[in-house]
Amino acid sequence: MSTTGHRAGSFKKPAKTHKSWKGKRTKGEITTENRGRESVRQIVRSAQNAHRSLSKTVRKNQQKQMRDQKLAAAIERRRTSQAPVLVTVLSLGQGARPIEFIKKLEKCDETIVQTSSISTINLAVPRFKSRLSFLTPEKENMDAVLDSVRASDILCFLWPMNAELSEWDEQLLTIIKANGMPTIVNVVPGLGGVTSQKKKEDIRKSIESIISQWQVFFLYFQAQKTVKNHSRSVSCAGVLPADSPTDGLQLLRTFNETKKKPLTLQARHPYILAENLQITQENAENCALAVDGYLRGPAWNANNLVNIPGFGDYQIDRIEIVADPHSMKNGKPIEEPIVIAKPGEKIQSLETEITPDSMDAEQTWPTQEELEEAEKRRVPKGTSSYQAAWILEDEEDEDEDDDEDDMDDEEDEMMEDGEEEEEEEHGINGDLQSEAGETTASEMIDFDDEDIDLSEVEKYRKERENAQWPDEVDTPLDVPARSRFQRYRGLKSFRTSPWDPKENLPLDYARIFQFANYKKTKKTVLSKIGENDLDSGDAVVDRKYNGVYARIHLINVPLAVKEGLENLKHLVLFQPLPHEQKMSILNMVLKKHASCTIPIESNQKFIFYAGFRQFEADAVFSSNTPSDKFKMERFMPNEKTFVATVYAPITFNPATVLCFRRDDKGRQELVATGSVLDSNPDRIVLKRIVLSGHPFKINKRAVVVRYMFFNREDIEWFKPIELYTPSGRRGHIREPVGTHGHMKCRFDQQLNAQDSVMLNLYKRVFPNWNYTPFARDVAPSRFVERSRSNVISLIRDDAMEQ
């Protein structure tokens, strides 16, 4: 066998040289530009190869070590956390009373010790070496329910055996889901009292179907659990009974050992459920407020502020440990408070907005190149060089054809009919009004519904008109269009045309804060949560004090806060992250709720629950699209998502948002739900108006249009702006014809007689500055009045004694 390789012949072509002079990069240039970076494919391949190179035994050992580390971390968290498990008990439908349910749990074991505070009922369970704190907010008080859920580790639903929910129950479930839910436990009191096994199984299946419908799933360390009740085996995959002592012990074990899933709000913000409030110092205007409770969430930082719902943010004087009134241990109690954190030099300021200097005004001017380019453009007479800088126009159309000559021949004929056309021009607005008024109010709303405000009929008419003719407005007859729409401008392309975000800003923008890089600032702030913030020093509470019963002293609290907190039973105080007390522009992605059936106009005052804050502010609606400019929505969209822009304190995303409104009777009604998008004052929201005209004479691509303007000066002013038709034709104004608003236009294709000629104008809009913390002085929703019913007891008194 020959050992020689193939030998190329004389006709073999040499390899092509690398033509770097043609723009091809060499290997050295590619390596230099990458600077050590590898493609995703190379990284994945290297990881897969490294994984395959390990033996099966080594991989199993690695997985075992990872499981052991997670288990040790979970045990360490439970060991170091000294706060009791916080459980919110909420009864749905005609279920059992939460107070009665907790009393039944207390009687299931003789060693349980029960104590109470202003807001909680505490059970110390020596059998499981744990403590439980129960919150029982009134179901009709939505604010109390939301405050309890935000602070809870577990949310326990008491479901009715008839599996029927009222309108308010369904509304409340929607609000809780949109706000965020912790770990869920579903209980059916009275299920053990049903003697028929078949009926018991039917009740269980009907309740589980409702649970799956609302996606309020049972999260438990064991998917299937068999609970023996009255010597019978009952399968409880999704719900638990609560009748016998065995059921009570099982529930207590579930509350204690179920894996807790904290909310994003709880994982980012230190918080405390106030169990005692007292005034330590007081003067003519301010006072010092002491709040007692368990320190929960990440490590507290005395340099950060504390938010009191509805009253704003306040500074901390000190954090100290006091005697635990619900202690399960019999050790030596704390006699004197021990200070564990005090603010340092880096204490956050209470400054929420900037005081603008009236003499420090700025104006954005176009560059010299833009001014020179604007001088070369064809602009209306009297237009300044700055105004010409943003007027965009197409290049000159192709050479005019014989249609232009035909148009000139017809000009004299049109002017002879000027008087008849003028009468038609004055009558067009009346025709539109009569056509819009044909829809009666009875076609839009049902007057039998007592909750409908008759004064809102006008909103239904406006919403219908806006749906039929989006953004169309009538050109005024008594005011020149160039004066009426002088703040509007034309854009050649809404998507690609530039718009300076710093141009013509309102004075309120001088009062707000803005990040140079929002994402980087957010990443830096989140990386310093709790113990990671080493710069704060002694102001951060040490890890060994996690969950202790402490007292937080707040200073310079107004006396009005003292009066407002007297009737609050479930008060939860959160610590804002750095910068979250400063005012800025807050953008929120929302979607209209199905229960809201009336039209909601933009730029109205709404009640927002954003994260831990509740405030009232005016909101401007805009489209939620991937772009650098966003069209303003005159009405809240019914199906698609939208963005609400308000003046509000900075809130880092993600954070849940609930949007409410006040109806004509002063009730608080849910409007939309969503989450925080970002804090970006440079978001450009443009209000569009559409001026429409009618083709009067059509000669192929040359058209005479009327009813868009009513004098020659307006036509000359808006001549650079492009025209279009609903059928997709594009054109430009050539010149005015006569003195009554007729104009000669030219389009890219021939028009038909049914087409309308449109002209778009845009103006940037901003929300109004009227931010106020929500004082919770609104009447409950209309669903509460409809759904009021007497809650019946479904737990027999002798059930726990058997």
Side-chain angles (χ1 to χ4, degrees), residues 257-399:
E257 298 183 3
T258 298
K259 182 179 179 180
K260 313 301 188 300
K261 183 182 178 182
L263 303 174
T264 304
L265 188 65
Q266 298 174 351
R268 288 185 176 181
H269 301 270
Y271 62 99
I272 181 173
L273 175 65
E275 297 191 7
N276 186 27
L277 297 173
Q278 55 183 344
I279 303 299
T280 56
Q281 297 178 2
E282 184 176 351
N283 54 33
E285 297 180 356
N286 300 329
C287 64
L289 182 65
V291 183
D292 295 354
Y294 292 96
L295 301 181
R296 301 177 184 270
W300 279 72
N301 191 336
N303 285 337
N304 295 347
L305 305 177
V306 175
N307 176 263
I308 300 179
F311 297 98
D313 303 326
Y314 301 94
Q315 292 177 333
I316 297 177
D317 179 57
R318 63 186 183 277
I319 302 175
E320 55 189 19
I321 301 177
V322 295
D324 190 346
H326 315 298
S327 177
M328 187 172 58
K329 301 179 181 179
N330 295 325
K332 183 178 180 181
I334 299 177
E335 297 180 357
E336 295 293 334
I338 302 175
V339 178
I340 57 177
K342 296 191 69 175
E345 298 178 355
K346 295 185 177 182
I347 185 172
Q348 290 188 16
S349 171
L350 293 175
E351 181 184 15
T352 59
E353 59 184 73
I354 301 173
T355 302
D357 186 0
S358 58
M359 303 300 294
D360 188 20
E362 295 184 0
Q363 176 63 45
T364 303
W365 296 97
T367 62
Q368 185 64 29
E369 292 78 7
E370 292 175 340
L371 292 175
E372 293 176 356
E373 183 181 356
E375 293 177 357
K376 301 177 183 179
R377 297 181 181 178
R378 178 171 53 89
V379 297
K381 184 178 180 181
T383 305
S384 64
S385 58
Y386 173 70
Q387 291 173 326
W390 52 258
I391 295 181
L392 302 175
E393 60 177 330
D394 283 336
E395 296 179 358
E396 291 296 329
D397 292 340
E398 55 189 35
D399 296 338

Side-chain angles (χ1 to χ4, degrees), residues 611-630:
F612 58 86
R613 293 189 186 275
Q614 298 94 42
F615 57 88
E616 293 183 271
D618 276 6
V620 172
F621 303 149
S622 59
S623 59
N624 183 24
T625 55
S627 177
D628 61 342
K629 296 182 290 296
F630 307 90

Side-chain angles (χ1 to χ4, degrees), residues 21 28 137 231 313 382 392 531 562 763 769:
W21 51 274
S231 302
D313 303 326
L392 302 175
E531 298 176 343
K562 171 188 173 182
K763 178 185 70 172
W769 185 300

